[in-house]
Amino acid sequence: MEQKVVADEGSSGKVETNVVEVDDVVVDFREQVDVPALQSGAVDQLNVQMNQFVRRGEVLGSLDAQSLTIRRRAALLRFESAKLITEDDLELKFAQTSLEEAEAELEASQATEQKYSGTVAVNQLRRMRLAVERAKLEVTRTKKHIRQAEIDTQLAAADLALIDDELSQLACVSPLDGVVLTVHQQPGEWIAKGQPWVTIASVGELTLHALVNADELSPATCIGLPVTVHWGSESDGTAKTLTGKVTSVDPKRLPGNRFRLHAEVVNRRQGHDGTVPPESAIVPGSGHRVDHHWQLLPGANVSMRIYRSRAEMAWRLDWDESSSGRGMMR
């Protein structure tokens, strides 16, 4: 591993080493996801191919939905049937009218009997009272029937919601902006629930793994430090740079007093002429940009510059001066 410290001389004449350059750097995808099938079934449609750029939320493919579509149609008919009963109050009005009629006849007969005793037979009054009770029971039964229809409507609505949820799970949706690395199942093939369907990697943001000498950079203070990534050559005009920052440090020390840190950089697309394209330069509905490619790809040979913080630079200068003082005393 070759590691250099870029030195700058301040106005006081002291040398301040504020940049550590590392050549032992590995470029990798920041995020790589195996998008699983949420249901088991036969692949019906596939909307992407390998190396295609996709957006988060874009539908990559879908499973066959024929059986679920039939189930949904039946559930919708049950819902509409139950809803029709709840919205139709004709039976309730008929039962209430029958009750009012029976009560009116009973009231009239009782008034006549009170005015002219013996005019209305006892059996006739009993039948009228029973007719009123039957009418009340019919009203209660009709209300119960309507209430049951309301419950059936809610159950049918729940069935529809479950089927719609299953239908939505037939789609394979991209969880991130990235590029398709692998398509595991093609149309007509069977895929099991949880099985990887499409593998996507986020090329727009990359992770860099670097081996750094702990004598040159403190692992305790380097998280959050700005970094730049360099590749290409200044002589032929191919030199390029991306910026980012250190995001984490492995707690384990490696041989040679080294440690591994990780940084994230934002990637850029460019045309073959070297210009950076606008965000709108995408073929509508395809996810493809026209004649554009990513500037930096995993596996590229790069170097990284880590910019020390002022606090660490001051600490190192004080430490160097104290070390020199102790050496002179000896």
Side-chain angles (χ1 to χ4, degrees):
M1 179 192 72
E2 182 182 358
Q3 181 167 312
K4 296 175 288 185
V5 177
V6 181
D8 296 329
E9 185 172 348
S11 59
S12 62
K14 296 181 180 179
V15 176
E16 297 179 353
T17 55
N18 67 332
V19 180
V20 176
E21 186 167 346
V22 185
D23 292 329
D24 198 347
V25 181
V26 175
V27 183
D28 199 0
F29 299 113
R30 184 184 70 84
E31 190 174 4
Q32 182 172 325
V33 179
D34 289 328
V35 186
L38 301 180
Q39 295 288 339
S40 298
V43 177
D44 182 41
Q45 293 182 352
L46 186 64
N47 305 327
V48 295
Q49 57 187 356
M50 288 181 59
N51 304 320
Q52 178 177 331
F53 181 78
V54 295
R55 292 291 187 184
R56 180 177 182 178
E58 183 176 342
V59 178
L60 310 177
S62 59
L63 300 179
D64 182 64
Q66 183 177 358
S67 60
L68 280 178
T69 302
I70 296 173
R71 282 177 51 196
R72 191 185 190 283
R73 188 179 302 117
L76 181 60
L77 289 174
R78 289 192 295 269
F79 173 78
E80 291 178 348
S81 176
K83 188 177 180 181
L84 182 63
I85 296 175
T86 61
E87 293 177 348
D88 185 9
D89 59 350
L90 182 61
E91 290 188 10
L92 180 59
K93 287 182 177 179
F94 181 82
Q96 290 174 339
T97 301
S98 298
L99 174 60
E100 291 173 359
E101 183 180 2
E103 289 176 338
E105 289 182 359
L106 176 60
E107 183 179 351
S109 298
Q110 287 176 339
T112 302
E113 176 64 21
Q114 289 177 0
K115 187 175 182 179
Y116 305 104
S117 179
T119 304
V120 182
V122 176
N123 290 339
Q124 185 178 358
L125 287 173
R126 185 185 305 113
R127 285 194 300 270
M128 289 182 177
R129 292 190 184 97
L130 290 175
V132 171
E133 292 300 323
R134 282 195 301 269
K136 289 180 178 179
L137 291 175
E138 184 64 23
V139 171
T140 302
R141 187 191 68 82
T142 304
K143 289 181 177 180
K144 182 179 179 181
H145 182 64
I146 294 175
R147 177 55 183 160
Q148 183 62 52
E150 292 175 349
I151 296 174
D152 291 341
T153 302
Q154 295 176 8
L155 290 174
D159 287 340
L160 279 173
L162 288 174
I163 294 173
D164 287 340
D165 183 62
E166 290 185 46
L167 283 170
S168 67
Q169 292 181 3
L170 297 182
C172 179
V173 180
S174 175
L176 49 85
D177 294 343
V179 63
V180 177
L181 298 183
T182 309
V183 177
H184 300 279
Q185 300 294 333
Q186 297 293 330
E189 295 181 334
W190 183 268
I191 188 170
K193 182 178 180 179
Q195 182 180 347
W197 189 347
V198 179
T199 300
I200 300 175
S202 58
V203 195
E205 294 179 345
L206 298 173
T207 296
L208 292 91
H209 313 281
L211 287 177
V212 183
N213 193 327
D215 293 334
E216 303 297 341
L217 186 68
S218 171
T221 60
C222 65
I223 294 179
L225 293 182
V227 302
T228 55
V229 185
H230 305 264
W231 70 98
S233 174
E234 295 283 356
S235 59
D236 58 8
T238 61
K240 294 181 177 62
T241 302
L242 292 175
T243 60
K245 66 178 180 179
V246 179
T247 55
S248 65
V249 175
D250 289 355
K252 183 180 179 180
R253 289 292 181 92
L254 301 174
N257 196 27
R258 297 181 300 172
F259 66 95
R260 180 178 285 106
L261 62 76
H262 312 279
E264 290 185 3
V265 297
V266 178
N267 207 355
R268 289 196 300 264
R269 278 183 174 270
Q270 68 176 24
H272 295 299
D273 57 356
T275 60
V276 179
E279 188 67 19
S280 60
I282 304 176
V283 178
S286 69
H288 289 292
R289 296 176 185 262
V290 184
D291 295 331
H292 299 140
H293 61 279
W294 293 103
Q295 283 191 338
L296 182 60
L297 294 175
N301 185 20
V302 301
S303 63
M304 178 192 293
R305 290 180 181 176
I306 308 170
Y307 297 86
R308 289 177 173 149
S309 64
R310 293 183 178 273
E312 182 175 0
M313 290 169 58
W315 176 84
R316 287 188 176 274
L317 286 174
D318 292 341
W319 187 86
D320 290 341
E321 291 176 354
S322 61
S323 298
S324 300
R326 287 195 299 270
M328 293 177 63
M329 289 177 64
R330 291 193 184 95

